[in-house]
Amino acid sequence: MNWLIVYTPKNEEDCSELRGFFKRNKISVKTALLEKDADFLPSGTASKLKLYSHCAILADKVPGKNEAFAWGLALGLGLDVYAVKSEWTAQAKKCGALKDFESFDRLLAFLENNISALDLECKKKSAWKKLFDSGNPFTGDALSVHVKKDNRDIVQTYIDAGMSLNERDAEGVPMLNIAIRAEQVEEVKWMLGQNVDLDAVSKDRGYSALMDCVWKKNLELAKILVEKGVNLDFVSSDNQSALTLAVGEGNAEMVKILSDAGASPDKFDALGMSAWTYAKLFKRQDLLSLMEKNHHGQ
C-alpha cells in the first residue's frame, strides 16, 4: 500500500498521529499540507495521484473547486479515500470508494482494526491488474501453464490475486500433480511450503500426487512427499495404491522408499490383487523382501 495524507494546518496533530500509525505498521506514507486551493490545480494531479493506492483527507472544511476536482479524480482513478464526514463527503461517496467517519478518532480506529485486511485487498487488486496487463487470464488452465514452467513470480501473482494452489486445470488435475508430472522439483518444494493439499486426487487418472511420482518414476519427488507425510496407502479409482504401481513397474528403488515409510503391500485392487501378490506373480523376491516387514496378509 502507498498512502497519501492530505491535511490542513489545523489538522497537523491528527496527521502526525496517522503518519506514525502507518510508519509503525511499515506502510509507505507521504503527506501533503493543503494551505490554499491552488495546491490542487488540475495540471499534473493525475500523474501524482497514480503513485498512491489510498488517501486520507484531514481537512476541516469543504474543499474548494480545484481540491474537489483532485478528489473526484482520485476516486475516479480507483484510490480508496478516507475522510471525516462533511457536506462534501456525502456527495463524493457517489463517485467512488470513499469512506467517511464521524471523527478522526473513529477513522483511526477503523484503520487500526482493518489495516491487515486493507493491505491484503490492495495486494489482490494489484495482482489482478498485473495479470490483466500481462495477458494472463484468471483461470486454472492459465495457472497450470506457469506451474509447469516453474514461473514462480507469475504463480505467486495468481496467489496474490486470490487463486488457490489447490486450483485444478480443465481436466481436474490439481496444481501439485501438474508440477509433479512436469517434474519441477523446486516448484514442488515451494508448493509444499504453501497451503496445498498433499492428497488431492486428479480427475483424469484418479491419481494422488504420490502416485504421479511413481508413474513418473521420480524418486526425488517421492521422497519429498513421503517426508511431508503424504497418505501412503491412498488407492486410486481402480483401488490401486502407489506401492502396487511401483511393483507393477518393477521399480525396486521406489518400492523401497514406500516400504521404508510404512506403505502396506496388502491393499487389494479391483482385480483382487495387491502389491504383495503381484510381486509373487512376477517372481520378484527382491520386492517381496523389501515389503515383508509391512506384510500381514496371505
Side-chain angles (χ1 to χ4, degrees):
M1 286 192 293
N2 293 309
W3 278 79
L4 172 65
I5 304 173
V6 177
Y7 68 103
T8 65
K10 289 185 179 180
N11 303 97
E12 188 169 0
E13 186 175 335
D14 290 343
C15 175
S16 178
E17 186 173 356
L18 186 56
R19 184 175 183 273
F21 164 74
F22 288 130
K23 289 293 186 182
R24 288 193 299 276
N25 284 276
K26 299 180 180 180
I27 294 170
S28 175
V29 59
K30 296 288 185 182
T31 59
L33 176 62
L34 182 63
E35 294 187 284
K36 55 185 181 299
D37 189 39
D39 290 344
F40 278 97
L41 289 172
S43 176
T45 300
S47 60
K48 292 176 183 178
L49 289 174
K50 285 181 179 178
L51 299 174
Y52 305 100
S53 60
H54 295 74
C55 175
I57 306 172
L58 306 179
D60 56 352
K61 63 182 181 67
V62 175
K65 179 180 178 181
N66 287 329
E67 296 166 39
F69 169 85
W71 300 126
L73 181 59
L75 291 166
L77 289 171
L79 271 72
D80 291 332
V81 179
Y82 297 79
V84 175
K85 277 187 177 180
S86 71
E87 178 184 330
W88 170 74
T89 60
Q91 295 299 317
K93 282 196 290 187
K94 300 176 183 178
C95 303
L98 183 141
K99 289 184 175 64
D100 56 357
F101 302 84
E102 294 293 341
S103 66
F104 170 75
D105 288 341
R106 290 194 178 185
L107 187 159
L108 181 58
F110 173 84
L111 293 176
E112 289 173 338
N113 292 329
N114 294 278
I115 197 64
S116 295
L118 292 176
D119 188 34
L120 185 63
E121 184 61 27
C122 184
K123 288 179 180 178
K124 187 174 180 178
K125 287 171 63 176
S126 177
W128 263 96
K129 185 178 186 303
K130 183 177 178 180
L131 290 173
F132 179 81
D133 290 346
S134 59
N136 286 292
F138 196 69
T139 66
D141 275 349
L143 174 59
S144 71
V145 170
H146 298 292
V147 169
K148 289 175 186 176
K149 296 178 180 179
D150 192 16
N151 292 335
R152 187 73 50 77
D153 288 345
I154 301 179
V155 172
Q156 183 63 58
T157 302
Y158 273 95
I159 295 172
D160 291 342
M163 188 170 284
S164 169
L165 278 178
N166 293 316
E167 185 65 45
R168 297 166 180 264
D169 67 9
E171 295 183 346
V173 184
M175 292 302 136
L176 180 58
N177 296 60
I178 286 170
I180 287 170
R181 294 180 187 186
E183 300 188 84
Q184 292 288 3
V185 175
E186 293 306 312
E187 183 77 356
V188 170
K189 288 180 179 178
W190 175 76
M191 291 175 76
L192 292 176
Q194 313 300 313
N195 185 23
V196 66
D197 185 354
L198 279 174
D199 300 310
V201 182
S202 65
K203 292 182 180 179
D204 60 344
R205 289 178 170 272
Y207 279 8
S208 67
L210 181 60
M211 295 182 80
D212 273 329
C213 291
V214 176
W215 174 50
K216 297 299 292 187
K217 300 180 177 63
N218 195 306
L219 302 175
E220 182 178 6
L221 285 174
K223 288 177 181 178
I224 291 170
L225 289 186
V226 166
E227 289 172 0
K228 282 290 182 178
V230 70
N231 182 359
L232 297 168
D233 295 325
F234 166 83
V235 292
S236 63
S237 55
D238 57 5
N239 285 359
Q240 287 200 326
S241 66
L243 185 56
T244 301
L245 286 179
V247 170
E249 293 175 352
N251 191 333
E253 290 179 290
M254 187 68 77
V255 170
K256 177 172 172 50
I257 290 171
L258 299 175
S259 295
D260 286 350
S264 171
D266 302 321
K267 295 288 182 180
F268 291 98
D269 63 17
L271 298 176
M273 298 287 285
S274 65
W276 183 265
T277 55
Y278 277 122
K280 288 181 69 175
L281 179 66
F282 302 150
K283 296 181 170 51
R284 290 293 303 266
Q285 186 57 48
D286 57 332
L287 302 185
L288 292 170
S289 296
L290 291 171
M291 297 186 291
E292 188 172 12
K293 59 188 173 184
N294 299 315
H295 174 54
H296 303 292
Q298 296 180 350

